[in-house]
């Protein structure tokens, strides 16, 4: 008599498992990471400390933690609204880039301007540019039924090259020794610092405002309700007469706009100028954040903190343990991998079954 | 009926129990089926019929109890093991690939290597022997529902079953096709094959079955010889109380509320049905029925009337005299249209949302939305009202739609539409898969609504139902609608003949 493991579907999706899965995934990522460090000949205890404790043991560390969590959270909030409506914006990185480029163009063009209008104008420009970039995907999807996953992803590459062209062309710093970058932004084009001596700036407040806004939109507004119905049961949305085209436009414009704002937060914040790259992959990492956060605003806040810590830990591991940069991407990948794995148990449970044929 | 008592029972269940979280689907069920016996399993939806059959067919394992096959205890680990024992099952919803031919579909279900040519001749042999005429090389998508069922039955018969389980086999058949099916089943039984016949249609069971086991809330509530019972006594066993009488008030039809004018629509779906020149008027205070076997344009007509599919010519559908063919479902609802679709989960309701949230789906017009925001209090109120006025059995407004039984969800959806006081209500398959008690309740609600002057259009496969509630009945076959006839001027047989447009020819061939 032999035994085998079998996945059996649960009659009702497990509520507990829905919330336990991300925690479990984080734990498994940690364990696997430590095993990996051990295999590389580093002490797991030391590695854990370097990765998860050292980066946030002082005020500077904590502000850096929040600084990196902020764009992840902001982008993931927008993406989650779309994901819930089955609109798959994978190109937040591109929308972030376009938002940064638009805001940067303003900052360079009006360099030296005084007064309080420049930064708000940059925010509007970033919001519009990000939304417009995602809007291309919405147009192609609603007009020609072009798959938004592919379109948004491909638009990301175009955006990256466009920014590369800008910083090596029209927006290049004339006195920059031919480096492909813009001038450093002036005071009025930068977010004020929240805590002197750190890099934590007022762009974080935008994220703080976005959290309750997205929560209300998603959970308490009629528009959000229509989007959720559209994602959960498309036939029911058609039955109720909710427009699919509206859902596609709404979610892509929103997620693109928030990604654009995140881009402004980077160039008018810690970076302070336009560079060929203005994001260490926040737009892509935010996809993982959205899912680890269960597409729920509160979950996304926690998940963005976790993801941000992985970024910091990766940097710290490079310095302290001489590990390659790829370590950050590896941890992100592990986290998503384990989340997808543990998510299976929301709808299934594992059972040991005895294998035996029917007796004759 | 040659039940020799000295024989071993073909199948005997002893104390079979199956628990699911929160519910006991089967509670120590005993059942004995003799060789050559046609045994009815009777019960309301949710009584545990399907679970019991799945355990016999090896798809679900019992938690307790013992199954005996020809006198020997067995464990049926999988459907394959069941087939090896000689148990065949014809499901209510067919599992055929539409793009493949009959013989290819049959070959897929057989184990081991196959030779399509010899298989085709075996199919012809079996179908000749049992009067189940089918062409082995036809594609399944070109077959009528009755023919598809024959493919399923032939597929089982090729494996020489000793026990054939039929799950609600007549729910999709015309009255004429039912008669032919019964002839086949009797012939099978006379050759020694046992048949488990699951149904809630009392008349059929009284005609066909030798014995009946009645299930109620997972337990055996009685055994009977159906021929000796009346539908009323069987219903009593099934639901525990006697059926409420339906009351029908006299109604005088008023002006035309819903007008369908030469509705023509080419289908985009290769397996869909195009609608051709459909005309029908539904008056205030009138219930008009559309009879027909599913797959004859019902889905397409419903989508065109509800606005889920818009029409090129807006004058093809008129609501209160106003052309609406170009409007989407939401805009038509704004003009006073209510619609209960055939599919409850996933179309009429969002499975993963609560009842309260599902109320908003169409009832947001009842001031459930204030400004841009949902009014949580009013939504809860509306859901509670719907639950209490329509007797929806559930854990409350927060219960997810998928946790309700089909009948209870249907009551909720019908209630949601009725509470919005529509001028015109369109209902597809109002009691499909709904238990007897709930079905009577829903029909009564429709009668009461018509008495208040609402124009009601009902699409149903159940002729008894249509004759019970409708003033006029039309038949939809192949995308064309017959003239609507007053109920007093037609009979079930006549409507059945019209329904079987395609099947009648098959009948001659067979």
């Amino acid at each position: 008599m032999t035994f085998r493991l079998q996945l059996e579907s649960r009659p009702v999706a497990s509520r507990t498992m829905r919330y336990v899965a991300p925690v479990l995934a984080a734990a498994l990522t940690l364990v696997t990471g430590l095993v990996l460090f051990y295999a590389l000949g580093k002490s797991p205890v030391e590695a854990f400390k370097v990765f998860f404790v050292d980066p946030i043991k002082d005020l500077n560390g904590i502000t850096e933690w929040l600084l990196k969590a902020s764009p992840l959270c902001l982008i993931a909030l927008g993406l989650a609204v779309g994901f819930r409506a089955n609109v798959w914006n994978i190109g937040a990185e591109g929308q972030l880039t376009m938002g940064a480029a638009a805001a940067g163009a303003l900052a360079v063009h009006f360099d030296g301007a005084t007064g309080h209008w420049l930064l708000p104008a940059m925010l509007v420009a970033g919001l519009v540019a990000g939304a417009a970039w995602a809007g291309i995907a919405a147009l192609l999807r609603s007009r020609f039924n072009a798959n938004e996953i592919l379109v948004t992803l491909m638009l990301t590459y175009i955006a990256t090259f466009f920014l590369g062209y800008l910083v090596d062309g029209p927006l290049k710093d004339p006195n920059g020794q031919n480096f492909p970058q813009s001038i450093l932004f002036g005071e009025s084009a930068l977010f004020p610092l929240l805590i002197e001596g750190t890099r934590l700036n007022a762009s974080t407040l935008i994220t703080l405002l976005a959290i309750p806004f997205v929560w209300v939109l998603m959970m308490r507004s009629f528009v959000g309700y229509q989007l959720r119905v559209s994602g959960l049961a498309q036939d029911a949305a058609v039955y109720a007469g909710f427009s699919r085209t509206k859902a596609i436009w709404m979610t892509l414009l929103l997620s693109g706009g928030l990604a654009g704002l995140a881009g402004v937060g980077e160039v008018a914040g810690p970076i302070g100028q336009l560079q060929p790259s203005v994001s260490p992959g926040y737009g892509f990492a935010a996809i993982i954040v959205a899912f680890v956060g269960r597409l729920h605003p509160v979950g996304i806040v926690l998940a963005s903190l976790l993801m941000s810590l992985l970024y910091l830990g990766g940097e710290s591991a490079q310095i302290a343990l001489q590990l390659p940069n790829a370590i950050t991407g590896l941890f992100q990948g592990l986290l998503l991998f384990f989340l997808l794995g543990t998510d299976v148990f929301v709808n299934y449970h594992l059972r040991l079954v005895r294998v035996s044929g029917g007796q004759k | 009926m040659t039940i020799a008592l000295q024989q071993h029972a073909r199948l005997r269940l002893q104390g079979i129990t199956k628990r699911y979280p929160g519910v006991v689907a089967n509670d120590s069920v005993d059942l004995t089926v003799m060789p050559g016996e046609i045994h009815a399993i009777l019960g309301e939806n949710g009584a545990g019929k399907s679970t019991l059959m799945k355990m016999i067919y090896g798809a679900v394992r019992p938690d307790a109890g013992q199954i005996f096959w020809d006198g020997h205890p067995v464990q049926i680990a999988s459907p394959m093991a069941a087939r090896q024992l000689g148990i065949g099952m014809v499901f209510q919803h067919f599992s055929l690939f539409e793009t493949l031919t009959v013989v290819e579909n049959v070959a897929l279900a057989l184990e081991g290597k196959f030779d399509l040519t010899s298989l085709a001749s075996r199919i012809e042999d079996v179908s000749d022997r049992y009067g189940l005429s089918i062409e082995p090389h036809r594609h399944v998508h070109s077959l009528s529902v009755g023919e598809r069922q024959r493919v399923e039955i032939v597929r089982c018969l090729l494996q020489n079953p000793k026990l054939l389980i039929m799950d609600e086999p007549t729910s999709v058949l015309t009255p004429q096709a039912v008669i032919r099916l019964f002839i086949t089943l009797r012939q099978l039984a006379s050759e020694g094959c046992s048949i488990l016949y699951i149904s809630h249609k009392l008349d059929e069971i009284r005609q066909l079955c030798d014995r009946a086991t009645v299930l109620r809330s997972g337990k055996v509530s009685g055994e009977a010889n159906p021929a000796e019972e009346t539908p009323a006594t069987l219903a009593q066993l099934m639901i525990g109380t006697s059926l409420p009488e339906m009351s029908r008030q006299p109604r005088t039809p008023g002006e035309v509320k819903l007008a369908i004018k030469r509705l023509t629509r080419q289908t985009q779906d290769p397996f869909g049905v195009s609608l051709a020149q459909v005309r029908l008027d539904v008056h205030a205070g009138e219930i008009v029925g559309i009879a027909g076997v599913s797959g004859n344009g019902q889905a397409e007509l419903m989508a065109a009337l509800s606005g889920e599919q818009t029409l090129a010519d807006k004058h093809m559908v008129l609501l209160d005299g106003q052309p609406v063919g170009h409007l989407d479902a939401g805009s038509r609802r704004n003009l006073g249209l209510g619609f209960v679709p055939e599919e409850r989960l996933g179309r009429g309701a969002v499975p993963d949302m609560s009842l309260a949230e599902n109320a908003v789906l169409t009832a947001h017009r009842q001031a459930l939305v204030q400004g841009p925001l949902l009014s949580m209090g009013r939504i809860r109120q509306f859901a509670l009202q719907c639950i209490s006025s329509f007797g929806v059995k559930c854990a409350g407004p927060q219960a997810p739609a998928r946790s309700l039984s089909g009948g209870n969800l249907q009551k909720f959806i019908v209630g949601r539409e009725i509470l919005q006081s529509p001028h015109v209500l369109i209902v597809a398959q109002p009691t499909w898969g709904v238990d007897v008690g709930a079905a009577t309740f829903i029909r009564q609600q429709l009668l009461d609504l018509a008495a208040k002057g609402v124009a009601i259009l009902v699409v149903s496969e159940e002729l008894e139902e249509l004759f019970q509630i409708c003033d006029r009945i039309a038949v939809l076959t192949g995308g064309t609608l017959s003239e609507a006839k007053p109920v007093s001027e037609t009979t079930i047989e006549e409507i059945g003949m019209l329904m079987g447009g395609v099947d009648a020819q098959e009948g001659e061939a067979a």
Side-chain angles (χ1 to χ4, degrees), chain A residues 35-47:
Chain A
V35 169
L36 195 74
F37 286 131
Y38 181 73
L40 289 169
K42 320 278 178 192
S43 147
V45 179
E46 174 66 14

Side-chain angles (χ1 to χ4, degrees), chain A residues 11 216 219-223 225 228-229 232-233 235-236 238-242 351 354 356-360, chain B residues 74-75 77 84-85 308 329-330 333 339 341 346-347 350 357 360-362 364 369 372-374 376 416-417:
Chain A
V216 169
M219 302 298 177
R220 286 289 180 268
S221 80
F222 187 42
V223 173
Y225 171 82
R228 279 187 291 137
V229 170
L232 287 171
D235 284 349
V238 175
Y239 162 77
F242 301 157
R351 232 180 101 133
R354 217 173 36 204
S356 58
Q359 289 162 285
K360 293 262 170 176
Chain B
V74 288
Q75 292 207 333
Q84 280 165 0
L85 287 176
E308 288 161 293
R333 286 177 173 283
F339 174 49
R347 185 158 160 214
V350 184
E357 284 180 297
V360 185
L361 199 59
T362 64
H364 57 84
V369 176
L373 297 183
L374 300 174
M376 304 311 275
R416 180 184 70 197
E417 300 303 302

Side-chain angles (χ1 to χ4, degrees), chain B residues 10 166 236:
Chain B
R10 171 71 34 89
M166 307 279 299
Q236 177 110 29

Side-chain angles (χ1 to χ4, degrees), chain B residues 25-31 40-53 198 212-223 237-239:
Chain B
N26 286 135
D27 189 356
S28 99
V29 170
D30 297 335
L31 174 71
I41 303 289
L42 188 60
E44 294 201 285
N45 275 79
K49 292 175 302 199
S50 299
T51 309
L52 192 63
M53 293 308 119
I198 307 167
T213 297
V214 188
L215 291 180
R216 187 165 76 226
S217 338
K219 290 183 189 158
V220 175
S221 66
E223 278 210 30
L237 275 177
M238 236 164 102
I239 61 177

Side-chain angles (χ1 to χ4, degrees), chain B residues 64-302:
Chain B
Q66 185 63 47
I67 301 177
F68 296 90
W69 180 255
D70 286 336
H72 305 290
V74 288
Q75 292 207 333
I76 306 172
S78 67
M80 195 184 285
R83 284 198 293 272
Q84 280 165 0
L85 287 176
I87 300 174
M89 182 156 178
V90 176
F91 290 92
Q92 188 178 3
H93 301 285
F94 306 145
S95 44
L96 297 172
F97 292 95
E98 299 208 322
T99 49
L100 299 182
T101 62
V102 169
V103 60
E104 286 166 339
N105 263 291
V106 171
L108 281 173
L110 297 181
E111 283 147 37
K113 287 191 179 172
F114 52 80
D115 163 14
L116 287 184
T117 329
S118 69
L119 188 58
S121 66
R122 278 175 66 201
I123 291 175
E124 277 172 342
D125 286 349
V126 170
S127 62
D128 282 353
R129 203 164 125 211
Y130 294 101
L132 298 161
S133 89
I134 38 172
E135 276 239 29
H137 294 292
R138 269 177 70 188
H139 280 92
V140 167
H141 67 80
S142 70
L143 303 182
S144 73
V145 182
E147 288 173 304
R148 289 179 197 204
Q149 187 179 53
R150 286 181 219 159
V151 177
E152 292 265 3
I153 296 174
V154 166
R155 186 157 77 173
C156 285
L157 293 186
L158 280 175
Q159 314 190 9
N160 302 314
K162 295 190 209 160
L163 172 70
L164 189 61
I165 304 173
M166 307 279 299
D167 187 4
E168 307 251 348
T170 60
S171 59
V172 292
L173 299 184
T174 62
Q176 284 80 9
V178 170
I179 292 169
R180 278 207 302 281
L181 173 69
F182 284 5
I183 294 171
T184 305
L185 294 182
R186 289 203 186 94
Q187 186 187 345
L188 269 171
S190 72
E191 293 172 7
C193 180
S194 306
I195 293 167
L196 265 174
Y197 188 91
I198 307 167
S199 182
H200 62 261
K201 292 187 183 170
L202 306 172
D203 285 328
E204 287 179 359
I205 285 174
R206 291 179 57 228
Q207 272 180 47
L208 179 72
C209 300
D210 306 318
R211 268 199 309 154
T213 297
V214 188
L215 291 180
R216 187 165 76 226
S217 338
K219 290 183 189 158
V220 175
S221 66
E223 278 210 30
N225 179 345
E228 293 168 3
E229 304 284 331
T230 65
T233 55
L234 283 177
Q236 177 110 29
L237 275 177
M238 236 164 102
I239 61 177
T241 57
S242 52
L243 273 180
E245 289 283 316
M246 291 219 292
S247 70
R248 187 170 172 157
Q249 300 161 24
R251 309 188 291 263
T252 38
E255 79 232 60
V256 175
K257 294 298 242 178
L258 172 70
I260 307 169
K261 303 231 179 272
R262 303 161 73 90
L263 195 162
T264 301
R265 192 171 194 283
Q266 210 62 36
T267 175
Q268 305 292 317
D269 178 351
F271 304 123
V273 178
S274 297
L275 299 170
Q277 305 277 348
V278 174
R279 294 170 216 223
L280 186 69
D281 287 340
V282 187
H283 300 81
E286 183 187 38
I287 304 184
V288 177
I290 294 182
V293 176
S294 273
N296 274 291
Q298 283 89 342
E300 289 81 1
L301 181 62
M302 288 298 97

